[in-house]
Protein backbone atom coordinates (compact mmCIF):
# COMPACT_ATOMS: atom_id res chain seq x y z
CA UNK A 1 0.00 0.00 0.00
CA UNK A 2 0.81 3.67 0.13
CA UNK A 3 3.11 4.64 3.01
CA UNK A 4 1.49 8.10 3.29
CA UNK A 5 -1.89 6.42 3.94
CA UNK A 6 -0.61 4.75 7.15
CA UNK A 7 -2.05 6.22 10.34
CA UNK A 8 -0.83 6.57 13.87
CA UNK A 9 -0.87 3.12 15.47
CA UNK A 10 -1.66 2.08 19.03
CA UNK A 11 0.83 -0.51 20.31
CA UNK A 12 -0.71 -3.72 21.67
CA UNK A 13 0.62 -6.14 24.26
CA UNK A 14 2.78 -8.55 22.25
CA UNK A 15 4.21 -10.47 25.21
CA UNK A 16 3.67 -14.23 24.93
CA UNK A 17 2.56 -13.76 21.29
CA UNK A 18 4.28 -15.50 18.39
CA UNK A 19 7.02 -13.61 16.62
CA UNK A 20 5.51 -14.28 13.18
CA UNK A 21 2.06 -12.86 14.07
CA UNK A 22 3.58 -9.88 15.87
CA UNK A 23 5.85 -8.99 12.94
CA UNK A 24 2.99 -9.38 10.48
CA UNK A 25 0.93 -6.83 12.42
CA UNK A 26 3.84 -4.39 12.82
CA UNK A 27 4.73 -4.60 9.11
CA UNK A 28 1.13 -4.08 8.03
CA UNK A 29 1.07 -0.86 10.02
CA UNK A 30 4.51 0.38 8.96
CA UNK A 31 6.01 0.10 12.43
CA UNK A 32 9.78 -0.34 12.58
CA UNK A 33 11.13 -2.99 14.93
CA UNK A 34 14.38 -4.41 16.21
CA UNK A 35 14.79 -7.90 17.64
CA UNK A 36 16.84 -9.09 20.60
CA UNK A 37 17.05 -12.73 21.66
CA UNK A 38 17.52 -14.41 25.03
CA UNK A 39 16.80 -17.73 26.71
CA UNK A 40 13.59 -18.15 28.70
CA UNK A 41 12.37 -21.12 30.70
CA UNK A 42 8.83 -19.66 30.77
CA UNK A 43 8.28 -18.34 27.22
CA UNK A 44 8.53 -20.83 24.37
CA UNK A 45 10.86 -20.41 21.42
CA UNK A 46 10.03 -17.61 18.92
CA UNK A 47 7.54 -15.89 21.21
CA UNK A 48 7.84 -12.34 22.59
CA UNK A 49 9.26 -12.03 26.12
CA UNK A 50 9.02 -8.24 26.40
CA UNK A 51 8.66 -5.07 24.35
CA UNK A 52 10.22 -1.61 24.66
CA UNK A 53 7.05 0.40 23.96
CA UNK A 54 4.13 -0.16 26.32
CA UNK A 55 0.66 -1.27 25.30
CA UNK A 56 -1.58 1.70 24.46
CA UNK A 57 1.25 3.99 23.33
CA UNK A 58 0.56 5.65 19.98
CA UNK A 59 3.42 5.59 17.47
CA UNK A 60 3.91 7.02 14.00
CA UNK A 61 4.71 4.65 11.13
CA UNK A 62 8.37 4.76 10.03
CA UNK A 63 9.32 7.02 12.97
CA UNK A 64 9.31 5.00 16.17
CA UNK A 65 11.10 1.68 16.64
CA UNK A 66 9.79 -1.00 18.99
CA UNK A 67 12.39 -3.40 20.40
CA UNK A 68 11.09 -6.92 20.91
CA UNK A 69 12.91 -9.44 23.08
CA UNK A 70 12.31 -12.89 21.61
CA UNK A 71 12.71 -16.22 23.36
CA UNK A 72 15.27 -18.79 22.27
CA UNK A 73 13.30 -21.17 24.50
CA UNK A 74 14.82 -22.87 27.50
CA UNK A 75 18.59 -22.83 27.77
CA UNK A 76 20.18 -26.23 27.21
CA UNK A 77 23.77 -26.73 28.34
CA UNK A 78 25.81 -29.19 26.30
CA UNK A 79 27.15 -31.96 28.56
CA UNK A 80 30.51 -33.67 28.34
CA UNK A 81 30.25 -36.51 25.82
CA UNK A 82 33.84 -37.75 26.25
CA UNK A 83 33.81 -41.53 26.74
CA UNK A 84 30.09 -41.66 25.83
CA UNK A 85 28.31 -43.43 22.99
CA UNK A 86 26.18 -42.26 20.09
CA UNK A 87 23.17 -43.67 21.97
CA UNK A 88 23.95 -41.35 24.91
CA UNK A 89 23.90 -38.38 22.53
CA UNK A 90 20.67 -39.57 20.86
CA UNK A 91 18.95 -39.91 24.25
CA UNK A 92 20.02 -36.36 25.17
CA UNK A 93 18.89 -35.04 21.75
CA UNK A 94 15.48 -36.68 22.18
CA UNK A 95 15.02 -35.49 25.77
CA UNK A 96 15.78 -31.88 24.78
CA UNK A 97 13.75 -31.66 21.56
CA UNK A 98 16.79 -31.15 19.33
CA UNK A 99 17.34 -32.04 15.68
CA UNK A 100 19.98 -34.55 14.65
CA UNK A 101 22.21 -35.31 11.68
CA UNK A 102 25.00 -37.86 11.29
CA UNK A 103 28.50 -37.75 9.81
CA UNK A 104 31.21 -40.36 9.59
CA UNK A 105 34.93 -39.87 9.20
CA UNK A 106 38.08 -41.85 9.67
CA UNK A 107 39.80 -41.72 13.04
CA UNK A 108 43.19 -43.29 13.73
CA UNK A 109 42.46 -44.48 17.28
CA UNK A 110 38.70 -45.04 17.38
CA UNK A 111 37.07 -48.21 16.08
CA UNK A 112 34.30 -48.10 13.51
CA UNK A 113 31.03 -46.84 14.99
CA UNK A 114 32.57 -45.16 18.05
CA UNK A 115 31.59 -41.58 18.87
CA UNK A 116 34.11 -38.94 17.79
CA UNK A 117 31.99 -36.03 19.03
CA UNK A 118 29.28 -33.51 18.26
CA UNK A 119 29.31 -30.02 16.73
CA UNK A 120 29.07 -28.22 20.11
CA UNK A 121 31.51 -28.07 23.01
CA UNK A 122 30.81 -28.99 26.63
CA UNK A 123 29.13 -26.10 28.46
CA UNK A 124 27.86 -24.24 25.37
CA UNK A 125 24.28 -22.96 25.54
CA UNK A 126 21.85 -24.05 22.84
CA UNK A 127 18.06 -24.00 22.47
CA UNK A 128 15.30 -26.40 21.45
CA UNK A 129 15.34 -27.21 17.76
CA UNK A 130 19.12 -26.80 17.45
CA UNK A 131 20.71 -29.23 14.99
CA UNK A 132 23.20 -31.59 16.61
CA UNK A 133 25.64 -33.31 14.25
CA UNK A 134 26.86 -36.62 15.64
CA UNK A 135 30.21 -37.69 14.16
CA UNK A 136 31.17 -41.34 14.41
CA UNK A 137 34.33 -43.15 13.39
CA UNK A 138 34.85 -45.17 10.25
CA UNK A 139 37.96 -46.49 11.96
CA UNK A 140 41.49 -45.78 10.81
CA UNK A 141 42.54 -45.76 7.19
CA UNK A 142 44.83 -48.75 6.59
CA UNK A 143 47.42 -48.32 3.85
CA UNK A 144 47.14 -51.12 1.27
CA UNK A 145 49.84 -52.62 -0.94
CA UNK A 146 49.78 -50.43 -4.05
CA UNK A 147 49.97 -52.26 -7.38
CA UNK A 148 50.77 -49.10 -9.35
CA UNK A 149 51.02 -45.33 -9.18
CA UNK A 150 47.50 -45.09 -10.66
CA UNK A 151 46.19 -47.34 -7.86
CA UNK A 152 47.96 -45.15 -5.28
CA UNK A 153 46.46 -41.95 -6.71
CA UNK A 154 42.93 -43.33 -6.92
CA UNK A 155 43.12 -44.77 -3.36
CA UNK A 156 44.30 -41.39 -2.01
CA UNK A 157 41.51 -39.55 -3.86
CA UNK A 158 38.82 -41.99 -2.66
CA UNK A 159 39.96 -41.70 0.96
CA UNK A 160 40.69 -37.98 1.05
CA UNK A 161 44.39 -38.58 1.69
CA UNK A 162 46.74 -35.82 0.57
CA UNK A 163 50.04 -36.68 -1.03
CA UNK A 164 53.05 -35.18 -2.78
CA UNK A 165 54.90 -36.91 -5.58
CA UNK A 166 58.64 -36.69 -6.06
CA UNK A 167 60.02 -37.99 -9.34
CA UNK A 168 63.30 -39.90 -9.22
CA UNK A 169 65.29 -42.08 -11.59
CA UNK A 170 65.80 -45.74 -10.78
CA UNK A 171 67.62 -48.51 -12.62
CA UNK A 172 65.62 -51.19 -10.73
CA UNK A 173 62.04 -49.79 -10.82
CA UNK A 174 60.29 -49.24 -14.15
CA UNK A 175 58.95 -45.88 -15.32
CA UNK A 176 55.66 -44.85 -13.65
CA UNK A 177 56.02 -47.27 -10.73
CA UNK A 178 56.42 -46.41 -7.06
CA UNK A 179 59.95 -46.47 -5.68
CA UNK A 180 58.94 -45.83 -2.03
CA UNK A 181 56.35 -44.13 0.18
CA UNK A 182 56.69 -42.54 3.61
CA UNK A 183 54.06 -44.96 4.98
CA UNK A 184 54.19 -48.73 4.82
CA UNK A 185 51.56 -51.27 3.82
CA UNK A 186 49.37 -51.92 6.91
CA UNK A 187 50.12 -48.54 8.57
CA UNK A 188 47.08 -46.77 10.08
CA UNK A 189 46.67 -43.13 9.14
CA UNK A 190 44.16 -40.36 9.83
Amino acid sequence: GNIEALKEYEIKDYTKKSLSKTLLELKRNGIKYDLRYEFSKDIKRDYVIEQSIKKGTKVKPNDDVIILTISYGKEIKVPDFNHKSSDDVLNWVSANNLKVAFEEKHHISLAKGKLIGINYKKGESISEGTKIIITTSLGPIVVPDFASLAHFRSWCDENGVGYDEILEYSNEIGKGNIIRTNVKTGDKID
Side-chain angles (χ1 to χ4, degrees), residues 107-125:
H107 194 282
I108 197 161
S109 60
L110 291 176
K112 183 178 175 88
K114 294 292 184 182
L115 177 68
I116 293 174
I118 66 169
N119 57 325
Y120 289 94
K121 291 180 175 52
K122 172 188 168 189
E124 281 188 89
S125 294

Side-chain angles (χ1 to χ4, degrees), residues 146 149-163 165:
F146 298 110
L149 182 57
H151 176 223
F152 169 79
R153 289 175 178 158
S154 91
W155 179 86
C156 288
D157 292 342
E158 288 170 10
N159 290 286
V161 175
Y163 62 91
E165 292 181 20

Side-chain angles (χ1 to χ4, degrees), residues 72 165 170:
Y72 275 136
E165 292 181 20
S170 172

Side-chain angles (χ1 to χ4, degrees), residues 49-63:
I49 298 172
E50 63 185 20
Q51 59 195 64
S52 65
I53 301 176
K54 292 181 183 178
K55 173 185 173 184
T57 304
K58 293 191 178 197
V59 295
K60 294 179 182 174
N62 290 319
D63 283 350

